[in-house]
Amino acid sequence: MSYSTADSLRPVTLDDVRGAQKMLTGVARMTAMETSRHLSQLVGSPVYLKCENLQRTGSFKLRGAYVRIAGLLPEQRAAGVVAASAGNHAQGVALASALLGVHATVFMPVGAPLPKISATREYGAEVRLHGQVVDETLSAAQEYAAETGAVFIHPFDHPDVIAGQGTVGLEILDQCPEVGTIVVGVGGGGLAAGIAVAVKAIRPDVRIVGVQAEGAAAYPPSLAAGRPVSVHQPVTMADGIKVGRPGDVPFALVEELVDEVRTVGEDRLSAALLLCLERAKLVVEPAGAAPVAALLVEPGGFAGPVVAVLSGGNVDPVLMQRVLRHGMSAQGRYLAVRLRLTDRPGALATLLGVLSGADANVLDISHVRTDPRLGLSEVEVELQLETKGPVHCTELGHALREAGYTVID
């Protein structure tokens, strides 16, 4: 399965996806389909999680990368391949190339998470750090391909890549034949397009819903315009779907086959990541949690059974810590409180006693003594508290006021 530049816009078919599935036998795992009781209760029908976060390299990207590289001619393989990615595609290309005996050069942004850089190198690729954003990295990789003759492996804008990603759709139909709706995150569109090609050819009644981060949502305006349009400086924690422009190949398929593309905010993404960790015991990156975020936004808006595709689990530990705090804050499980105390021995201990009595966990304390608004004997204290939810936050406010403290908004 190999396409030339001239026919790179050729539509992807069910036969292409089935061919890709045979090619991936023994390479990509058939990932687990887990039931989510919590989400099922929320949605009102069975909800299943398709765990591509447990795929080799930690995401679905291995599927498309392997199919694309395996389809190269011998002389193309001899020239090597080059890719640009902030993480998941990089690792997919690196492992696929190693399995096929092809030299891979991967360009990554200078600020890419260290675990993703290390993993890409460990899979055998030569890593070059270039640019601050993926667009700059992409340009460098394409220039390298033009100079060296290496084959550029696009992360989503090629029929072979889309066919490989479409094998996720075939697995969903095997694992959940009664599926009513498939919810999948959308960046460039390769995964959604591939799943739609496979599923709609076999079960045209299944509804396919794409999900984008609000700050990087290029598909809604593109679909409205009838052609790919760019979003200027996309911003989102979900770097796996942080794509400024849809690919030409996947856009045509998404426009034809995907029923709807929704958007979700950062609060919902972090809450979804937290839910996956706490309730499903699954480590999922923000992009992978996007389908779950969409279920949280409008739980009654999906005909069941629902399959949410968790596309990846390669989350930087530092980002994970920040996102978990953000998610807990969005759920009312963190509370920041500022108040003034008399600056005398024992005042802080008394305050902490009130908080302990109200069953709040103090995470951090800071003092301000130099603010000109403070009296000579006053100190302002800011506390970061872990709480049990919005009701508990309200109870804490009442407890502090009843103890005589003035909470500063």
Side-chain angles (χ1 to χ4, degrees):
M1 185 187 301
S2 180
Y3 296 85
S4 67
T5 302
D7 65 357
S8 62
L9 292 179
R10 171 183 167 185
V12 184
T13 67
L14 177 60
D15 286 342
D16 292 327
V17 180
R18 284 179 168 156
Q21 188 175 47
K22 291 179 181 179
M23 193 179 293
L24 288 167
T25 301
V27 176
R29 300 171 180 148
M30 176 180 277
T31 51
M33 183 84 77
E34 298 288 343
T35 305
S36 173
R37 184 174 64 178
H38 176 76
L39 288 172
S40 297
Q41 292 174 342
L42 188 68
V43 172
S45 63
V47 175
Y48 302 94
L49 305 176
K50 175 61 172 167
C51 300
E52 282 297 288
N53 59 310
L54 303 180
Q55 183 57 262
R56 296 178 71 178
T57 74
S59 86
F60 71 97
K61 289 289 189 177
L62 171 64
R63 298 174 184 264
Y66 187 91
V67 173
R68 173 74 172 106
I69 298 170
L72 297 177
L73 299 173
E75 58 268 26
Q76 292 175 311
R77 292 197 194 189
V81 299
V82 61
S85 168
N88 289 346
H89 180 59
Q91 293 174 67
V93 168
L95 178 56
S97 299
L99 293 173
L100 292 164
V102 177
H103 180 266
T105 303
V106 178
F107 285 77
M108 303 181 74
V110 173
L114 291 178
K116 293 186 178 183
I117 296 173
S118 298
T120 303
R121 285 180 172 143
E122 288 173 9
Y123 285 127
E126 176 188 348
V127 175
R128 299 192 180 192
L129 302 179
H130 182 92
Q132 299 299 320
V133 295
V134 175
D135 287 344
E136 295 174 357
T137 308
L138 184 64
S139 296
Q142 290 171 326
E143 289 175 7
Y144 177 89
E147 293 169 359
T148 65
V151 179
F152 178 66
I153 307 299
H154 200 285
F156 50 81
D157 204 11
H158 194 281
D160 287 357
V161 173
I162 293 170
Q165 321 303 29
T167 60
V168 176
L170 294 181
E171 290 181 13
I172 290 173
L173 293 180
D174 285 341
Q175 294 170 303
C176 184
E178 71 280 14
V179 61
T181 304
I182 297 173
V183 190
V184 55
V186 179
L191 179 60
I195 289 175
V197 166
V199 172
K200 289 291 190 177
I202 299 171
R203 287 276 313 280
D205 59 304
V206 174
R207 187 170 178 80
I208 311 291
V209 178
V211 183
Q212 292 205 289
E214 287 179 356
Y219 262 91
S222 295
L223 291 169
R227 58 180 176 79
V229 298
S230 299
V231 171
H232 181 60
Q233 295 183 338
V235 177
T236 176
M237 72 176 78
D239 59 349
I241 54 175
K242 186 180 176 182
V243 178
R245 181 187 184 278
D248 293 326
V249 182
F251 175 79
L253 295 167
V254 169
E255 185 179 40
E256 177 186 358
L257 300 173
V258 172
D259 296 282
E260 181 184 1
V261 176
R262 302 187 180 191
T263 61
V264 293
E266 302 295 285
D267 285 352
R268 294 295 187 175
L269 285 170
S270 56
L273 187 149
L274 181 62
L275 185 150
C276 289
L277 186 64
E278 286 190 323
R279 298 300 185 100
K281 313 307 176 190
L282 292 168
V283 176
V284 181
E285 61 190 274
V292 175
L295 297 181
L296 297 179
V297 171
E298 190 181 350
F302 301 88
V306 177
V307 173
V309 181
L310 308 183
S311 59
N314 293 317
V315 57
D316 178 42
V318 175
L319 176 63
M320 171 71 86
Q321 184 180 38
R322 288 169 47 205
V323 171
L324 290 180
R325 284 184 176 274
H326 188 266
M328 293 180 73
S329 178
Q331 292 185 0
R333 292 165 60 182
Y334 279 133
L335 179 64
V337 177
R338 286 193 306 132
L339 41 79
R340 290 177 184 174
L341 304 177
T342 301
D343 194 8
R344 59 177 175 76
L348 181 59
T350 301
L351 170 62
L352 295 178
V354 173
L355 294 172
S356 176
D359 205 19
N361 183 32
V362 179
L363 300 175
D364 192 25
I365 301 174
S366 63
H367 294 76
V368 176
R369 289 186 168 88
T370 56
D371 193 314
R373 293 172 297 179
L374 295 172
L376 187 62
S377 60
E378 287 183 320
V379 59
E380 185 174 291
V381 177
E382 182 171 348
L383 304 103
Q384 300 290 331
L385 308 174
E386 183 180 3
T387 69
K388 299 175 182 178
V391 174
H392 191 206
C393 290
T394 301
E395 292 172 350
L396 281 172
H398 290 324
L400 289 170
R401 290 182 178 91
E402 287 178 1
Y405 294 102
T406 299
V407 178
I408 304 171
D409 294 329

